[in-house]
Amino acid sequence: ISLTSSEKALKAEVLDLSGKIIATLNFTDNKTSWNGLSRNGNAAPAGMYFVKVYTENGSIHHSKITKNE
């Protein structure tokens, strides 16, 4: 997951389709990755997830990702 913007990304939240936060990710050089695990360390099921990226300017960017098995 990367943010191609002049804004500095601070964190991202991975949410399931119901809006529940599955994982919180930190950024380095406006890039981060998700290992597919939920907050409790269990593998999240395959499917579609939403990603909310928060920046230092208070902006929120949205995207979708698909997790395969």
Side-chain angles (χ1 to χ4, degrees):
I1 302 167
S2 63
L3 180 66
T4 54
S5 169
S6 60
E7 298 176 279
K8 181 179 178 186
L10 299 177
K11 72 173 184 174
E13 293 175 336
V14 179
L15 301 98
D16 65 14
L17 295 181
S18 71
K20 179 182 174 188
I21 298 171
I22 301 299
T24 302
L25 313 171
N26 294 312
F27 277 80
T28 302
D29 297 326
N30 272 10
K31 295 180 184 178
T32 190
S33 62
W34 179 41
N35 60 8
L37 300 179
S38 65
R39 288 177 159 187
N40 62 12
N42 295 327
M48 179 151 331
Y49 292 87
F50 297 109
V51 179
K52 290 171 76 173
V53 176
Y54 298 86
T55 68
E56 66 182 356
N57 297 336
S59 297
I60 301 173
H61 300 265
H62 301 268
S63 66
K64 292 185 283 185
I65 57 173
T66 302
K67 179 183 181 285
N68 299 317
E69 296 178 41

